[in-house]
Amino acid sequence: MTDSKWVYRFDEVALAEQAAGDWEGVRALLGGKGANLAEMTRIGVPVPPGFTVTTAACNAYLASGSQFPGGLWEQTRAAMQATQKAATRVFGSARNPLLVSCRSGAKFSMPGMMDTVLNIGLNDETAEGLAALTDDRRYAFDCYRRLVQMFGSVVLNIPDEDFEDILDAWKEKRGVKSDTDLSAEDWQAITEEFKVVVRKHTGEDFPQDPYEQLRLSIEAVFRSWNGKRAVDYRNAARISHDLGTAVNIVTMVFGNMGGTSGTGVAFTRDPASGERRLYGDYLLNAQGEDVVAGIRNTLPIAQMEKDLPEAYAQFVSICDRLEAHYREMQDVEFTIEQRKLWMLQTRSGKRTARAAVRIAVEMANEGLITKEQAVLRVSPEQVDVLLHPQFDQAAEQQARAEGRLFCSGVNASPGAAVGQAYFDADTAERMAKEHGQAVIMVRPFTKPDDVHGMLAAKGILTSEGGATSHAAVVARQFGVPCVVGAAAARINLEARQMTAGEKVVKEGDWLSVNGTTGEVFLGQLGTVAPALEEQTDLLTLLGWADEIAARPDARTGHVTRGLQVWANADYPADARRARAYGAQGIGLCRTEHMFFEPERLPIVQRMILAESSAERVTALDELLPFQQADFAGLFEAMDGLPVIIRLIDPPLHEFLPSQEALLEEVITMRVKGAVDGLEDKEKLLASVNALHESNPMMGLRGVRLSILMPEIVEMQVRAIMQAAAEVANRGLDPRPEVMIPLTGHVNELKVIQPRLEAIAKEVMAASGANFHYKFGTMIEIPRAALTAAEIAGVAEFFSFGTNDLTQMTYGYSRDDAERNFLLKYVEDHILPGNPFQSIDQPGVGRLMRMAVEDGRSARPELEVGICGEHGGDPDSVHFCHAIGLNYVSCSPFRVPVARLAAGQAAVDSR
């Protein structure tokens, strides 16, 4: 262990590359922040001297019960010696003090989720030395009090309020509102009071040994990896818990040295809209925490051009250089110390879904990245966010006219959120999780400790902070609509209410937050679905994804049409929406849904209750025109594209009143002596009782019902084929595919399919129409997957019904499982995830792979897809691409998500 290298100076990035193998390995070893500080140093960007303690050291520390691994402290002290030399200052010296910051930095950015300590190295002597060196006592003791406060809260776990109360009392005593209005004497006195707080809570004095401060700070950052807010964030962002965090020790540079100094955070492109312009906040005479914590209202970055023009010009040049170097929008932190610019961080910037799409498309068009890289830059979840509802403009105008505009602020994260106001993170999380409420979390400003409430909320409102504050950054990453810096909102946390003028919002009241415009309204506003055709950047990106999914494999030259995305649609309106969203076919039309229409249900019930085949056929003849019209509408909407129509699947009792309700009604009528209609009710109850099954899901349904009552599916196939013939004779191109559900044995298909094919041939001959059709089956029973080669001898296509296949493979009833135990199974890691949300690849997936391979061994041209809810799940889409499916089918609103996932799967496989 003592031979391990735990520490790398910023100028040792080449050694880190040798140890880690490649840049991803360097990021894993040094964390994203440490790797980028080292890379900026290598390319000549001004970075203060420093070094990184590796993630491996963190993991070793945590694994050993909070003990530094052998050699770590010795390497840290040696790196401090090198940093002193580079900075030409001495750590712990009163004459020429070197101060450092101690910051976390994991492989993946987790803004604000772990701990930071600034100004390490100050003590009673070095604070006086710093005052003498700079001839500025106010600056020196402002730095010192910050160290005592941060060290106390971060390292010693003292409540931050204990320090803030003292600070507020001093500002009230002096009659000032801003920290910058306090004098040197004030800061010196405040520092002494802060040290009393430390002694009161710990029984010990604030440590005066700079190396002791450094050691304890490194340990605190290591421990913060397992802090609640960090764990909650990793769970939400799907970041592995075993990566550990690096610790970056950086020479302090000071933005609080007067009017020629400042600090800020900026993005090389607008993280809300994606526009190519510098976007950010900065403050004169401040340290970085003042900006990101949101405790002071900031200035826009453009103001810096007027205040510090030379530093601004250099800053713009460096931002352009960093974006070109990393080929990605950058989030940078900087400090200007007496007109000298220092870069403290660069990383890929968090952004809204809309910005992610625009940036990816524009960077590809600019030649910075390829189309393939652009497709990979946007997550399916971000596409989903773009399709979320927005506030109806008419509803907003009416709310304004009614005086319901409560306040406005910075539009930090777009989207519409409606929920009930709660004023702390714990309550917000509890009301959302335990009571199922839609929550708007309201705070003066958010801190990293609030992240669990932010993740549970539908929207966020703060009265302080700017576009790069903690609330804004976290909200943008997770797609939560957010308004920050709403200064008109006066929040009273003790009274659990806020006011804006004469308007009052109490805890539990409804708010509507428009993160796109920065406005907050009282009450609940109506929402509308966004129009995909208006989102030109998204359409461009999805077009690239389709193109990539269908592209020949560069290695083999094999040309396939790729994994297509189809849609589940039962009505023509659904089909038109699906086609507008880019669907290349209908993968599932559930014919039984059409039976529930009010004018049809009585006919369906007469058909079910018929006492003879002739009676049943009479009722079915009445239904046929309805079904034919439905199918014709689907073929028109999907002209030239395939439409898979599933024949009746559910058991017949689902079309009748419930057994319990009928029994109660009959008993009530008997008790009351009601004679009118009693006989009909009793007859209906007897029929329902006769249809009753102990386990309907495995009872008389699907192909079994088709075999026992063939008249039903014969009517449906006749309606399908007559509709196709009618549409074809009008010059359109219908492509019907008839799907027989729930096949378990090939002989079931051998019985029913020839009868249905005969009807298709008869209709085509009688109509004179010419169109292509297929007959296939759903694979939703494990036995069907295991005997796929036999079934493919009859069926021309397979469609996996992954909902039922998952239920039957696991032996779960989905509704009962999710209600009683499945969520706990996932929480306790008994299952890696919910198998009804993402395909269980080792179990259900293995059956699917086997069915595809065996089915195509019997019928090489076999078309195979899925039509369960998994068709819109990105991980499932990747799996379907891997096993060679022709299409996935999902709800119309998930089609854009699946299109992007299909393109990404193609890129990943190549």
Side-chain angles (χ1 to χ4, degrees):
M1 292 290 286
T2 55
D3 293 333
S4 298
K5 186 168 176 60
W6 304 111
V7 176
Y8 290 84
R9 299 191 312 271
F10 294 160
D11 59 1
E12 292 184 316
V13 66
L15 289 178
E17 285 177 329
Q18 290 176 12
D22 57 18
W23 184 247
E24 278 303 299
V26 172
R27 283 173 48 81
L29 181 67
L30 302 183
K33 183 177 295 182
N36 287 332
L37 286 169
E39 182 66 8
M40 285 195 293
T41 300
R42 175 158 63 181
I43 65 174
V45 170
V47 174
F51 58 90
T52 299
V53 182
T54 65
T55 57
C58 172
N59 286 329
Y61 173 85
L62 296 174
S64 66
S66 303
Q67 297 293 320
F68 276 175
L72 170 58
W73 186 238
E74 292 76 12
Q75 292 178 33
T76 299
R77 293 186 71 106
M80 278 299 301
Q81 294 295 317
T83 301
Q84 290 179 130
K85 184 176 180 180
T88 65
R89 299 176 186 172
V90 180
F91 193 52
S93 166
R95 294 182 60 189
N96 185 25
L98 169 67
L99 307 183
V100 297
S101 63
C102 178
R103 299 173 182 266
S104 62
K107 178 180 180 181
F108 300 106
S109 175
M110 296 171 54
M113 295 304 111
M114 291 176 290
D115 287 332
T116 293
V117 183
L118 304 180
N119 304 337
I120 296 168
L122 278 174
N123 55 28
D124 294 346
E125 290 184 7
T126 55
E128 290 289 352
L130 185 63
L133 184 68
T134 61
D135 194 25
D136 190 342
R137 294 187 66 79
R138 187 198 173 283
Y139 152 71
F141 282 94
D142 180 20
C143 292
Y144 194 11
R145 69 90 187 175
R146 289 173 186 269
L147 169 62
V148 179
Q149 181 173 358
M150 294 187 78
F151 192 92
S153 60
V154 168
V155 179
L156 304 177
N157 297 313
I158 299 171
D160 196 46
E161 291 77 10
D162 287 18
F163 299 107
E164 288 294 333
D165 289 346
I166 293 172
L167 194 54
D168 290 342
W170 270 90
K171 285 191 285 189
E172 185 176 349
K173 178 180 177 180
R174 294 298 189 222
V176 299
K177 292 184 177 180
S178 173
D179 295 357
T180 57
D181 295 325
L182 293 172
S183 69
E185 292 73 20
D186 295 334
W187 284 130
Q188 190 165 1
I190 289 168
T191 303
E192 291 305 314
E193 290 191 34
F194 281 5
K195 289 194 288 186
V196 171
V197 171
V198 170
R199 192 178 306 114
K200 174 184 173 184
H201 278 271
T202 67
E204 297 180 2
D205 289 333
F206 176 79
Q208 295 291 302
D209 179 0
Y211 277 100
E212 180 70 1
Q213 295 173 9
L214 179 63
R215 184 182 63 81
L216 293 173
S217 296
I218 292 172
E219 291 192 62
V221 174
F222 281 166
R223 290 194 302 271
S224 72
W225 174 255
N226 286 330
K228 183 181 187 304
R229 66 180 188 250
V231 172
D232 287 345
Y233 186 95
R234 291 198 297 273
N235 286 334
R238 299 181 181 178
I239 296 172
S240 174
H241 293 293
D242 61 2
L243 298 176
T245 182
V247 179
N248 300 289
I249 307 302
V250 188
T251 297
M252 285 295 302
V253 289
F254 296 96
N256 58 336
M257 294 185 71
T260 61
S261 301
T263 187
V265 176
F267 296 83
T268 56
R269 304 196 187 208
D270 187 327
S273 70
E275 181 183 354
R276 189 177 182 181
R277 68 180 181 95
L278 271 181
Y279 176 100
D281 302 316
Y282 99 110
L283 284 169
L284 284 171
N285 195 21
Q287 282 198 295
E289 289 299 304
D290 298 336
V291 176
V292 297
I295 58 178
R296 284 175 60 184
N297 287 335
T298 53
L299 299 171
I301 195 71
Q303 178 66 32
M304 186 173 138
E305 185 174 16
K306 297 178 181 178
D307 296 334
L308 299 166
E310 291 182 5
Y312 181 78
Q314 184 187 7
F315 178 68
V316 170
S317 175
I318 287 174
C319 286
D320 290 342
R321 185 178 174 191
L322 289 174
E323 184 174 277
H325 181 76
Y326 287 101
R327 300 176 183 270
E328 176 62 292
M329 185 264 270
Q330 294 296 290
D331 168 6
V332 299
E333 294 181 16
F334 66 94
T335 286
I336 301 164
E337 181 182 274
Q338 296 179 326
R339 302 188 190 279
K340 167 69 174 173
L341 175 66
W342 295 96
M343 302 302 294
L344 306 182
Q345 175 170 280
T346 191
R347 61 188 175 191
S348 296
K350 306 298 182 188
R351 65 207 71 180
T352 66
R354 189 174 305 280
V357 172
R358 179 173 177 177
I359 290 169
V361 170
E362 290 188 356
M363 281 191 167
N365 289 335
E366 292 162 15
L368 271 179
I369 59 176
T370 65
K371 290 180 180 179
E372 288 83 359
Q373 289 170 324
V375 165
L376 293 176
R377 287 278 173 92
V378 178
S379 72
E381 291 79 10
Q382 287 171 321
V383 173
D384 189 33
V385 167
L386 286 178
L387 303 176
H388 285 177
Q390 307 292 321
F391 285 134
D392 179 56
Q393 290 187 359
E396 280 193 320
Q397 290 173 359
Q398 182 179 351
R400 284 193 191 90
E402 295 171 350
R404 289 165 52 201
L405 177 61
F406 179 73
C407 65
S408 60
V410 178
N411 51 338
S413 181
V418 179
Q420 293 170 268
Y422 291 98
F423 293 91
D424 69 87
D426 291 339
T427 305
E429 181 184 50
R430 185 177 72 255
M431 300 309 289
K433 288 188 174 180
E434 297 179 11
H435 300 277
Q437 290 187 9
V439 166
I440 303 295
M441 195 177 89
V442 180
R443 299 286 292 165
F445 55 87
T446 66
K447 298 186 291 186
D449 289 339
D450 294 323
V451 70
H452 57 294
M454 300 171 73
L455 294 173
K458 298 293 184 185
I460 298 166
L461 169 64
T462 73
S463 58
E464 302 174 31
T468 58
S469 63
H470 175 264
V473 171
V474 173
R476 280 195 293 269
Q477 180 179 8
F478 291 104
V480 181
C482 177
V483 174
V484 302
R490 305 295 181 185
I491 300 171
N492 187 330
L493 296 178
E494 291 185 5
R496 316 295 287 181
Q497 68 178 36
M498 65 175 169
T499 58
E502 296 182 357
K503 299 183 181 77
V504 179
V505 172
K506 297 182 179 179
E507 194 157 67
D509 288 350
W510 286 90
L511 290 175
S512 295
V513 174
N514 190 333
T516 305
T517 65
E519 294 175 313
V520 180
F521 295 88
L522 300 174
Q524 304 175 64
L525 297 188
T527 59
V528 293
L532 183 65
E533 58 270 18
E534 296 174 3
Q535 303 189 43
T536 54
D537 287 328
L538 179 57
L539 289 174
T540 298
L541 189 76
L542 294 177
W544 293 346
D546 293 341
E547 173 191 320
I548 291 164
R551 190 177 296 165
D553 190 307
R555 294 170 301 174
T556 65
H558 182 59
V559 179
T560 68
R561 69 177 185 179
L563 181 68
Q564 295 189 339
V565 178
W566 298 8
N568 302 338
D570 301 333
Y571 301 100
D574 298 330
R576 286 190 290 272
R577 180 182 295 112
R579 187 161 193 164
Y581 279 13
Q584 295 171 285
I586 298 299
L588 175 64
C589 168
R590 291 158 287 217
T591 54
E592 62 272 4
H593 284 190
M594 303 166 177
F595 287 172
F596 285 103
E597 296 290 328
E599 72 276 16
R600 308 178 194 188
L601 189 57
I603 305 172
V604 174
Q605 291 177 343
R606 274 197 286 114
M607 180 270 295
I608 294 170
L609 298 174
E611 295 181 354
S612 68
S613 178
E615 280 185 58
R616 185 174 299 117
V617 169
T618 299
L620 289 169
D621 286 344
E622 291 183 54
L623 283 174
L624 189 146
F626 290 114
Q627 291 253 280
Q628 183 172 328
D630 292 332
F631 299 142
L634 285 172
F635 295 143
E636 289 170 0
M638 302 304 292
D639 179 30
L641 297 176
V643 177
I644 295 180
I645 299 170
R646 183 180 71 185
L647 302 179
I648 188 169
D649 183 40
L652 293 178
H653 74 82
E654 289 193 10
F655 301 99
L656 298 174
S658 77
Q659 186 181 37
E660 293 82 2
L662 270 176
L663 180 60
E664 184 178 341
E665 194 174 353
V666 167
I667 291 172
T668 301
M669 292 176 74
R670 286 174 178 170
V671 169
K672 292 183 175 180
V675 177
D676 248 7
L678 178 60
E679 184 178 347
D680 290 340
K681 291 290 182 183
E682 289 178 332
K683 182 179 178 182
L684 182 58
L685 177 60
S687 297
V688 171
N689 286 337
L691 291 171
H692 175 73
E693 294 177 303
S694 299
N695 190 345
M697 190 194 129
M698 295 187 175
L700 183 59
R701 53 172 286 226
V703 68
R704 305 158 198 164
L705 180 62
S706 300
I707 290 172
L708 292 188
M709 293 186 183
E711 304 94 336
I712 301 175
V713 290
E714 288 172 352
M715 178 278 290
Q716 290 189 305
V717 171
R718 187 172 298 277
I720 292 168
M721 296 302 164
Q722 289 181 176
E726 173 200 334
V727 169
N729 286 333
R730 286 194 270 123
L732 301 180
D733 181 16
R735 300 186 183 183
E737 300 188 15
V738 180
M739 183 158 67
I740 300 168
L742 212 70
T743 297
H745 196 289
V746 66
N747 288 345
E748 292 173 313
L749 289 183
K750 289 178 177 178
V751 168
I752 196 64
Q753 188 167 314
R755 296 179 64 163
L756 304 180
E757 289 175 334
I759 293 171
K761 292 173 183 174
E762 175 196 327
V763 170
M764 284 193 78
S767 66
N770 185 25
F771 57 89
H772 181 72
Y773 63 85
K774 290 182 182 179
F775 281 85
T777 190
M778 288 186 80
I779 304 295
E780 46 196 329
I781 295 174
R783 190 184 188 281
L786 294 170
T787 59
E790 293 181 1
I791 292 174
V794 180
E796 296 174 275
F797 68 88
F798 287 171
S799 178
F800 290 105
T802 50
N803 298 338
D804 277 0
L805 185 59
T806 299
Q807 289 194 93
M808 294 194 185
T809 301
Y810 270 95
Y812 291 168
S813 162
R814 176 175 182 171
D815 292 341
D816 293 332
E818 290 189 333
R819 183 172 59 249
N820 294 324
F821 65 87
L822 188 54
L823 298 182
K824 181 168 177 56
Y825 267 37
V826 174
E827 287 174 2
D828 293 349
H829 304 292
I830 297 170
L831 292 178
N834 185 335
F836 294 105
Q837 293 178 352
S838 192
I839 289 172
D840 160 44
Q841 296 181 23
V844 175
R846 186 176 181 187
L847 287 172
M848 292 171 64
R849 187 186 295 272
M850 185 185 307
V852 172
E853 293 172 354
D854 291 353
R856 287 182 176 155
S857 69
R859 187 185 293 268
E861 74 282 6
L862 184 72
E863 173 189 277
V864 189
I866 69 167
C867 61
E869 291 179 25
H870 296 98
D873 169 62
D875 289 340
S876 300
V877 172
H878 274 66
F879 177 72
C880 291
H881 178 277
I883 64 173
L885 297 198
N886 300 100
Y887 69 87
V888 295
S889 188
C890 56
S891 74
F893 288 106
R894 295 289 291 177
V895 166
V897 176
R899 288 171 65 191
L900 180 67
Q904 292 177 337
V907 174
D908 289 344
S909 71
R910 293 167 187 161

